[in-house]
Amino acid sequence: MRSHSQRLTAVLAGVAVLALAGCSSAQSGESDQTTLKVVYLIEGDASPLDAVMQQAKAEYEEANPEVTVDLQPLKSSADDYFTKLALMNRSEATAPDVIYEDSFQVKSDAAAGYLAPLDDRLAAWEDWGQFVDAAKAAGEGVDGNIYAVSLGTDTQGLWYNKDVFEAAGIPLPFEPESWDDLLDAAEKIKANVPDVYPWEIYAGIQLAEAGTMRGFQTFLSGTDDSLFNEETGKWVVNSQGFEDTLELISTVYGEGYSPEASIALDPALTQTVWGTWLPEGKVGMVVDGSWLPSGWADTGATPFPEWTEKIGWAAIPTQDGGGAGTTSMSGGWTVAMGSKTKHPDEAFDFITTLLSEQNALKFAVEGTQIAVRDDVAAEPDYTGANPTVPFFTDQVDVTHFRPATPDYPQISQQIAIATEAVVNGTSPADAAKAYDQAVIGIVGEDNTESGR
Amino acid sequence: MVIEERTRPVERVIPPESPAPQVRDRVASPSRRVDAVIVNTVLVLVAAVFLLPMVWLVLSAFDPAATLVLHLPEGLSIGNFRDVLNVDQTFRPLWNSALLSFGTGILTLAVGVLAAYPLSRYQSRFNKPFLYTVIFGTCLPITAIMVPVYALFVSLNLVDSTIGTILFLSASSLPIAIWMAKNFMDSIPVSLEEAAWVDGASAFRTLRVIVLPLMKPGLAVVFLYTFIGAWGNFFVPFVLLLDPAKQPAAVAIYSFFGQHGSVDYGPLAAFSLVYSLPVIVLYIAVQRLMGGSGALAGAIKG
Amino acid sequence: MTTTLPSASGAAAVRQPRTRVRSLIRAIPLAPAIILMLVFLLGPIVWALYGSLTNTALSGPNAANPQFVGLDNYRQLFTSPTFPLSVVLTLIFVVASAVVGQNGLGLGAALLLRRASKPVRLIVGLVFVGAWVLPEVVAAFAAYAFFHNTGTLNALLAGIGITGPNWLYTYPMVAVILANIWRGSTFSMLVYSAALNEIPDEIKESASIDGAGGFAMFRLITLPMIRRAMAANLLLTTLLTMSVFALIYIMTAGGPGFDSTTLPLLAYQEAFKFSRVGYGTTVAVVLLAIGAVFSVIYVRLLKPEVDI
């Protein structure tokens, strides 16, 4: 009778050998067949991105029979996706050839050396001229090279409930030209329509990017100041625009246009606002993204078939109507090439296939994206996808992108801390000062410059 | 440091599994009955409180229009279940979860019990420090070491391997498993084995023939605990597995969280119920298997 | 490693070579466990410890060129405004939910269950086990929906005329502590049930004949006899609770503000949200240190009873 430990050791050894053998044999099988590893994110289960990836894979493999496209979708939240992607990129053995990259991560990942510069290849690509300038900027690294190409984007606008506005006596369509117009409208709603939050602004630490991007930067971009000076590469502190924006938020919360702190700072608030409050007329207006209609569709999380009649949309005004008059913020995803790829030509070919006019159109329509190609933007299938599309596409002309340098996540949290402080009653001047101090602590005084 | 070394655990007259005469059976006085009523009531109340959080889960699973707010569904339907019960979303991830969890449970149990034996039976000045070091590692959140673990796995060529993930899950479950196994083992008197040793039986033989059978409830607890931990573990398989077809249910649950913070509560609740069911079934099965005697049943059936 | 058989006596010098070989053979069953833990745990932990002295990042320039920064991370951590709060929150969470909550409820339930009637025992036992086996993500969600401002708890309170507070906003720590007690008490209950089962009835009988009433019986007989199990369970539940992450993260995301950001959440935020892996492991090292302190306290306090 053999002893347990002998048997067990044998089993363990066998298991270890099998594991190693199994894995290495999977690797060696590729020697005569080029394989492209494409990694992307699937959020939720129905994925227009997956559909367009499958389409691109089929097209590409047909045109290039000696290459296999290995699609590796990751089903997770965006945050976990970034983590997994970074881990994969750190090791050459697992680094993908083609990467679906959040525009917000491009600068950081490029600085980490994960992405390959594409400038020359793009210049030689005939379709590159179709891409709008804003989209080209989305894929830029800190060094000015282009590391990623936009697959689609989103813009922000002012969504409002028409019933609420009518009941408040505000003429429709609502076309505010300054922050004062917005405040006036909110005041009217407050006076005339009970049980409604006139103007929701996302703020606070738990609402993270939703707050700092949609709640703060959409308004800051309407002032003369910005968060970050692209030309000098320095973060702006002591900025009037920053304080003014905090002042706006302070007023909105102080006057009761937005809910009290305990409701406003709920991390799940965004879905409540666009899924329940806006359709039911519990909120007057809110700055939110161009993707909202997908949530109201029959297949969305909160179907709302009457939205085209009940909901209006307007451009976000700048602080006093100056500059371009309106402003917006954009995010969106891009496609990049892994720097460690062994097949750069094939990888780039696949990228161009993925971003062809046909596929970009398909993704824009099915994924409720805003087109980044002029030809796609002109297609009737695209403009007719839902009534808001032409409007949000126009916003691309005035849109801004977040200064997503490697330090941005920490600084974004500081913005959130500032807005939360203001919601809780701290004066905008004090909150702005605290922000300035924190930013200096994060990036060092040499990397900051004064805004006034 | 002088270590109090005991040659054997506390000897008890009654082995753990034989039924002990219950004092309460003897006298059925009125005060005892009132006692029983109070005890029963308190317990039922506590159980009711424990059930409350699950109410929303169950209601939402059958509610076609489920939200975060607790409300009675307008019409009960199994629509959410129909949406969710397909190969891609549910069955394959559950299968992967089963693979990972059974693999981890069995491996951890085997390795852990083996390791617990010398710690329990043989005295050494290294026993205590070893155990304490090992158990003290459990306060480290696994998220803290996933970056080097990933790099390690890449160098060992174990990334995207179910077996590799099982090995890691086992390694991280071992500290608790060894601790628990040793504690259960300690309560079995060495005297039972000593007789066999005198007769020339090897330690492994006595382990297999004498100790393990007496330890069955303890083995069940260790296996269940490890299984439950692996069943619910998200981060480890998420990091170590690449192929989406290998991901377990703990990872697949995130398919109900859409873009921009939207959550599909109904299907999420339905999936959660389906996801939790196998573990409950397993618990009942293991209990039956263990013959319902000893520590596990002692808590539940008495 | 030297071991001695229970019956060994004298002539140790003569037996040295044989004893040493026997010791090694006796240690063999430990080998698979040691190998697994060395390779998969110790290695990465050592790397993480070293990593806390660097500015390694998952993205950005520090990913390409991590630098050794010595104790800079520690300095930054100890002077950061959120750190002291995080430590205090972690201690509160551990003491309240593990030491007091899970052990208290577990022991209480174990005591009561022994005297309950059979059907009650069955049903209550099943409910307890149900709460225990729920996967962490599911349990976290159920707890989130329960404590949410518009959730089950407030709905029930409204039913009896009380307007409940916004638990997750106003009392986030209370909510997560209760949720953790809900999730973890069953394990303690099982441990204490087993321990209580081992108390010989003869002792209890003779004590009761001697006139010991309920509480005296508990204090003088029951408690001392389960001391070993209690010490072991306290240590275990404390250490396990220190690393709880998903439950709190899903319920409150560490908020509002940082009001429920315990150390594991802080480590996660730094390492993964901000990509600062080196700094994140610094937080983890602090967590380990606190765990070590707890371990030492338990061992010192309960040493005579803890029998290893």
Side-chain angles (χ1 to χ4, degrees):
Chain A
M1 209 28 136
R2 284 168 59 210
S3 78
H4 272 255
S5 89
Q6 284 173 332
R7 243 182 288 184
L8 188 64
T9 328
V11 167
L12 276 179
V15 155
V17 166
L18 275 174
L20 294 171
C23 285
S24 42
S25 69
Q27 297 265 342
S28 62
E30 302 163 28
S31 45
D32 43 349
Q33 175 83 340
T34 309
T35 309
L36 283 181
K37 182 147 63 173
V38 179
V39 171
Y40 55 100
L41 168 69
I42 296 186
E43 278 184 297
D45 65 51
S47 181
L49 177 65
D50 199 32
V52 77
M53 284 282 180
Q54 302 281 0
Q55 172 86 357
K57 169 184 158 95
E59 283 171 21
Y60 182 78
E61 282 179 343
E62 202 184 315
N64 302 277
E66 73 285 0
V67 183
T68 320
V69 175
D70 183 17
L71 295 180
Q72 285 200 353
L74 291 175
K75 284 192 183 193
S76 69
S77 68
D79 279 339
D80 292 324
Y81 175 69
F82 300 147
T83 303
K84 185 73 185 284
L85 202 52
L87 285 174
M88 290 173 78
N89 276 319
R90 280 162 67 91
S91 301
E92 190 158 337
T94 55
D97 299 296
V98 176
I99 307 172
Y100 178 64
E101 181 91 356
D102 192 336
S103 59
F104 162 88
Q105 287 284 102
V106 171
K107 288 188 167 61
S108 199
D109 283 352
Y114 298 153
L115 308 177
L118 300 171
D119 303 70
D120 296 333
R121 293 179 190 273
L122 287 172
W125 183 33
E126 56 191 356
D127 285 9
W128 187 230
Q130 292 289 343
F131 283 77
V132 304
D133 286 335
K136 287 183 182 171
E140 239 178 59
V142 183
D143 54 7
N145 287 331
I146 301 195
Y147 289 93
V149 187
S150 270
L151 190 54
T153 188
D154 51 67
T155 50
Q156 315 294 314
L158 192 71
W159 296 90
Y160 60 92
N161 183 302
K162 288 187 186 163
D163 292 339
V164 170
F165 270 57
E166 270 168 18
I170 302 168
L172 296 180
F174 183 49
E175 278 162 0
E177 287 173 12
S178 66
W179 290 3
D180 283 336
D181 286 351
L182 293 172
L183 286 167
D184 286 340
E187 203 183 319
K188 281 209 185 82
I189 299 174
K190 181 103 192 172
N192 297 320
V193 191
D195 295 328
V196 167
Y197 296 116
W199 182 7
E200 162 67 34
I201 296 187
Y202 298 130
I205 299 174
Q206 259 52 49
L207 281 173
E209 275 311 292
T212 62
M213 179 162 159
R214 289 175 245 163
F216 187 85
Q217 290 181 63
T218 40
F219 297 108
L220 178 68
S221 61
T223 68
D224 292 328
D225 291 302
S226 61
L227 276 179
F228 180 75
N229 188 329
E230 298 276 345
E231 273 148 58
T232 61
K234 295 193 197 226
W235 291 89
V236 179
V237 294
N238 197 23
S239 109
Q240 184 65 50
F242 193 93
E243 208 178 307
D244 288 347
T245 313
L246 284 180
E247 183 76 54
L248 179 69
I249 297 177
S250 178
T251 308
V252 166
Y253 276 87
E255 297 287 334
Y257 300 152
S258 277
E260 74 261 24
S262 65
I263 298 177
L265 303 176
D266 180 350
L269 184 68
T270 53
Q271 183 170 3
T272 308
V273 170
W274 62 255
T276 312
W277 288 0
L278 201 53
E280 289 177 15
K282 289 210 183 81
V283 73
M285 55 181 169
V286 61
V287 167
D288 214 318
S290 48
W291 58 78
L292 255 47
S294 67
W296 293 324
D298 292 331
T299 51
T302 50
F304 180 38
E306 316 90 41
W307 72 269
T308 45
E309 296 125 40
K310 301 266 184 181
I311 305 289
W313 45 91
I316 304 163
T318 55
Q319 186 172 16
D320 44 24
T326 59
T327 181
S328 190
M329 294 288 298
S330 286
W333 291 75
T334 65
V335 184
M337 180 160 81
S339 60
K340 301 188 176 76
T341 181
K342 297 193 178 53
H343 313 286
D345 295 328
E346 290 86 345
F348 188 74
D349 270 346
F350 179 75
I351 293 176
T352 56
T353 312
L354 180 62
L355 294 167
S356 70
E357 192 197 340
Q358 286 289 73
N359 288 331
L361 175 65
K362 179 182 166 74
F363 185 55
V365 170
E366 289 172 18
T368 320
Q369 299 283 312
I370 300 302
V372 290
R373 292 175 60 128
D374 287 328
D375 46 6
V376 173
E379 290 271 356
D381 277 348
Y382 169 74
T383 51
N386 77 63
T388 65
V389 169
F391 165 75
F392 279 106
T393 313
D394 284 341
Q395 303 311 307
V396 175
D397 296 332
V398 294
T399 198
H400 301 84
F401 286 88
R402 291 164 288 175
T405 66
D407 298 309
Y408 177 72
Q410 287 176 270
I411 296 187
S412 178
Q413 191 186 59
Q414 292 303 321
I415 299 175
I417 291 176
T419 58
E420 179 151 333
V422 153
V423 166
N424 281 322
T426 311
S427 80
D430 289 339
K433 250 188 229 105
Y435 167 80
D436 291 343
Q437 286 298 102
V439 169
I440 292 175
I442 293 170
V443 299
E445 191 146 8
D446 297 335
N447 289 317
T448 63
E449 62 183 35
S450 174
R452 18 179 170 193
Chain B
M1 141 171 143
V2 174
I3 300 173
E4 252 285 300
E5 293 190 324
R6 307 198 52 184
T7 55
R8 64 195 67 181
V10 176
E11 288 254 16
R12 282 178 334 281
V13 174
I14 305 167
E17 65 181 338
S18 67
Q22 295 292 320
V23 174
R24 71 179 156 91
D25 288 346
R26 300 229 183 122
V27 181
S29 69
S31 69
R32 235 169 244 301
R33 259 178 282 147
V34 169
D35 254 359
V37 167
I38 296 180
V39 164
N40 284 336
T41 317
V42 169
L43 279 174
V44 169
L45 278 175
V46 172
V49 170
F50 263 54
L51 270 179
L52 283 176
M54 306 193 221
V55 170
W56 174 84
L57 209 57
V58 173
L59 279 181
S60 301
F62 292 98
D63 184 357
T67 64
L68 207 49
V69 183
L70 181 73
H71 61 266
L72 283 172
E74 261 139 41
L76 287 177
S77 92
I78 54 168
N80 289 329
F81 289 95
R82 238 178 296 144
D83 281 342
V84 151
L85 287 175
N86 55 66
V87 174
D88 274 335
Q89 270 190 300
T90 307
F91 296 134
R92 195 187 302 119
L94 280 179
W95 171 250
N96 290 330
S97 287
L99 271 180
L100 284 176
S101 306
F102 271 109
T104 306
I106 293 172
L107 183 60
T108 306
L109 188 64
V111 174
V113 165
L114 273 178
Y117 188 74
L119 292 172
S120 172
R121 282 357 193 185
Y122 303 133
Q123 286 67 47
S124 153
R125 65 172 176 277
F126 292 103
N127 279 2
K128 239 194 241 193
F130 176 76
L131 258 169
Y132 279 133
T133 311
V134 142
I135 202 68
F136 146 80
T138 59
C139 69
L140 184 76
I142 295 283
T143 49
I145 52 169
M146 283 326 284
V147 174
V149 168
Y150 184 84
L152 174 71
F153 265 59
V154 170
S155 61
L156 289 179
N157 220 348
L158 281 177
V159 176
D160 203 23
S161 139
T162 303
I163 292 182
T165 310
I166 290 177
L167 285 174
F168 181 76
L169 284 171
S170 301
S172 50
S173 311
L174 271 176
I176 302 260
I178 295 177
W179 172 282
M180 286 201 280
K182 181 199 171 291
N183 274 348
F184 282 114
M185 227 181 255
D186 280 347
S187 61
I188 295 173
V190 182
S191 54
L192 297 174
E193 294 167 77
E194 280 175 342
W197 285 342
V198 163
D199 283 344
S202 78
F204 298 113
R205 193 176 161 77
T206 61
L207 171 67
R208 191 168 54 85
V209 171
I210 298 178
V211 180
L212 285 184
L214 285 177
M215 251 186 83
K216 272 203 271 180
L219 294 179
V221 171
V222 173
F223 176 78
L224 267 177
Y225 187 85
T226 311
F227 186 93
I228 293 169
W231 187 262
N233 195 319
F234 160 76
F235 215 60
V236 171
F238 176 69
V239 167
L240 297 180
L241 293 172
L242 297 178
D243 185 356
K246 293 195 184 124
Q247 293 288 5
V251 176
I253 200 172
Y254 281 92
S255 66
F256 299 104
F257 295 80
Q259 280 191 318
H260 306 290
S262 78
V263 185
D264 240 340
Y265 287 112
L268 174 66
F271 181 87
S272 300
L273 287 181
V274 175
Y275 177 34
S276 311
L277 202 60
V279 197
I280 298 179
V281 167
L282 179 73
Y283 170 79
I284 297 176
V286 166
Q287 243 220 307
R288 287 273 153 83
L289 220 68
M290 291 297 126
S293 65
L296 212 59
I300 310 299
K301 277 156 78 177
Chain C
M1 174 158 138
T2 15
T3 59
T4 40
L5 268 181
S7 48
S9 60
V14 172
R15 291 200 214 210
Q16 283 296 29
R18 257 190 82 204
T19 316
R20 202 159 288 155
V21 169
R22 186 167 28 202
S23 318
L24 278 170
I25 295 182
R26 292 222 177 107
I28 286 181
L30 274 165
I34 292 184
I35 294 174
L36 269 178
M37 292 194 287
L38 264 175
V39 171
F40 292 111
L41 289 185
L42 190 65
I45 290 178
V46 168
W47 184 101
L49 285 175
Y50 175 71
S52 71
L53 302 173
T54 68
N55 62 4
T56 312
L58 279 180
S59 188
N62 290 336
N65 279 318
Q67 304 285 335
F68 182 81
V69 294
L71 294 173
D72 257 3
N73 284 339
Y74 289 92
R75 222 170 292 142
Q76 193 183 354
L77 182 64
F78 292 144
T79 54
S80 87
T82 47
F83 177 67
L85 177 65
S86 211
V87 172
V88 169
L89 289 172
T90 309
L91 291 174
I92 293 177
F93 182 69
V94 167
V95 170
S97 72
V99 175
V100 173
Q102 289 177 11
N103 278 280
L105 185 58
L107 181 57
L111 286 168
L112 288 178
L113 276 169
R114 310 191 79 227
R115 296 158 60 184
S117 56
K118 200 145 188 247
V120 169
R121 212 180 308 153
L122 257 169
I123 298 178
V124 171
L126 210 59
V127 170
F128 269 124
V129 165
W132 181 46
V133 303
L134 273 185
E136 191 173 12
V137 179
V138 174
F141 247 94
Y144 172 71
F146 183 74
F147 282 107
H148 193 258
N149 198 27
T150 53
T152 315
L153 180 58
N154 279 349
L156 290 169
L157 289 175
I160 56 174
I162 305 176
T163 323
N166 188 342
W167 297 96
L168 295 173
Y169 178 78
T170 326
Y171 303 111
M173 285 306 287
V174 171
V176 297
I177 286 171
L178 288 176
N180 198 35
I181 294 177
W182 173 63
R183 252 204 109 220
S185 296
T186 309
F187 179 73
S188 295
M189 184 199 74
L190 290 175
V191 168
Y192 285 123
S193 283
L196 287 171
N197 255 353
E198 286 169 17
I199 302 178
D201 275 310
E202 285 81 28
I203 296 187
K204 289 212 280 200
E205 274 184 52
S206 46
S208 107
I209 288 172
D210 280 347
F215 190 64
M217 173 94 81
F218 178 73
R219 193 168 54 90
L220 299 168
I221 306 291
T222 316
L223 262 189
M225 296 221 68
I226 59 170
R227 231 197 180 107
R228 243 183 72 216
M230 190 179 267
N233 197 48
L234 276 172
L235 180 61
L236 205 58
T237 51
T238 303
L239 291 177
L240 283 174
T241 305
M242 288 198 69
S243 62
V244 165
F245 168 74
L247 185 74
I248 305 180
Y249 193 69
I250 291 177
M251 283 180 76
T252 64
F258 297 104
D259 287 347
S260 57
T261 305
T262 56
L263 287 171
L265 269 83
L266 190 66
Y268 176 82
Q269 177 191 274
E270 291 293 341
F272 297 114
K273 276 211 151 107
F274 298 157
S275 281
R276 301 170 69 200
V277 174
Y279 189 67
T281 47
T282 310
V283 181
V285 169
V286 171
L287 197 64
L288 268 180
I290 296 180
V293 168
F294 269 110
S295 306
V296 166
I297 291 178
Y298 284 130
V299 172
R300 283 279 132 88
L301 224 59
L302 304 157
K303 188 172 176 230
E305 269 68 41
V306 176
D307 204 342
I308 300 201

